[in-house]
Amino acid sequence: METSNTTQLESEVDPLDTPTDLSHDAVREISTALRQLLAEVFALYLKTKNFHWHMSGRHFRDYHLLLDEQSEQIFAMSDDIAERARKIGGSTLRSISDISRHQRLKDNNNEFVTPKDMMSELSADNLELTRSLRFTHQICDRNNDVASASLIETWIDQTERRTWFLSETARQL
């Protein structure tokens, strides 16, 4: 009899269930927003690396290094976003196809993109990421998730800086 009770209890517990004082609805809403945000971050990271790898022209070295620096900063966000979702008991992305299902930023598969178009496109994408960060911050605020909101505030500042650098660089081209 003890075995059947243990089995029944084990089947009722989610194996990824993490203790949190946030409500089940809050965890679902926040982790969904974080999953969407993570997909955006991965899409932006890969696009930034794509442009880094395919940069050409007169200012190659400067732009190549700028995009490398920015891609490292973007990638650094990914682990924190995923771990934040897990810390509150949510789940996160599982594969590249999962990223593509959740991303809103458009990929760029063009064979050639001018440096000006690269900078302009990345500036617009970073601006869109800022909007996503603010939206997620609002969800965290509404659900009293201070820790996630605090992380997001730092990422907003970083993303605004990238937008600024990219827009100024595109203006000069």
Side-chain angles (χ1 to χ4, degrees):
M1 190 152 180
E2 193 173 317
T3 305
S4 64
N5 285 343
T6 303
T7 305
Q8 182 181 359
L9 287 175
E10 287 174 359
S11 67
E12 293 173 7
V13 175
D14 182 353
L16 297 179
D17 195 22
T18 303
T20 181
D21 64 338
L22 297 171
S23 73
H24 178 71
D25 289 341
V27 168
R28 187 177 64 246
E29 186 177 16
I30 295 165
S31 63
T32 296
L34 290 173
R35 186 178 311 112
Q36 178 82 42
L37 190 59
L38 184 58
E40 296 299 313
V41 166
F42 274 125
L44 182 58
Y45 166 74
L46 190 54
K47 184 185 280 188
T48 304
K49 285 305 272 190
N50 170 28
F51 289 169
H52 159 81
W53 294 323
H54 294 97
M55 181 56 67
S56 63
R58 191 165 55 108
H59 299 286
F60 166 79
R61 186 178 192 287
D62 292 336
Y63 299 162
H64 183 79
L65 293 174
L66 172 69
L67 297 182
D68 196 35
E69 176 186 300
Q70 290 193 356
S71 66
E72 287 175 10
Q73 186 181 67
I74 294 164
F75 186 73
M77 294 168 57
S78 64
D79 196 48
D80 290 338
I81 294 169
E83 286 186 359
R84 187 66 205 148
R86 290 294 300 124
K87 284 177 193 176
I88 64 170
S91 65
T92 191
L93 297 172
R94 301 184 185 283
S95 65
I96 292 172
S97 62
D98 204 12
I99 293 168
S100 68
R101 277 192 298 274
H102 291 94
Q103 79 181 67
R104 288 177 289 212
L105 295 179
K106 302 290 184 220
D107 293 330
N108 186 321
N109 295 310
N110 295 334
E111 191 70 27
F112 177 78
V113 181
T114 67
K116 180 178 177 73
D117 288 345
M118 287 179 183
M119 298 301 179
S120 295
E121 189 171 331
L122 288 174
S123 177
D125 287 346
N126 274 277
L127 186 60
E128 186 59 37
L129 179 60
T130 301
R131 289 183 190 105
S132 296
L133 287 161
R134 289 186 201 287
F135 176 76
T136 305
H137 191 284
Q138 290 172 349
I139 290 171
C140 295
D141 281 348
R142 186 171 54 244
N143 289 288
N144 201 29
D145 182 1
V146 179
S148 294
S150 177
L151 289 169
I152 290 168
E153 289 166 3
T154 300
W155 299 330
I156 289 171
D157 184 57
Q158 292 172 352
T159 305
E160 287 176 333
R161 185 172 196 266
R162 288 192 306 272
T163 303
W164 173 38
F165 276 45
L166 292 162
S167 66
E168 286 299 322
T169 302
R171 184 188 330 256
Q172 296 174 12
L173 294 174

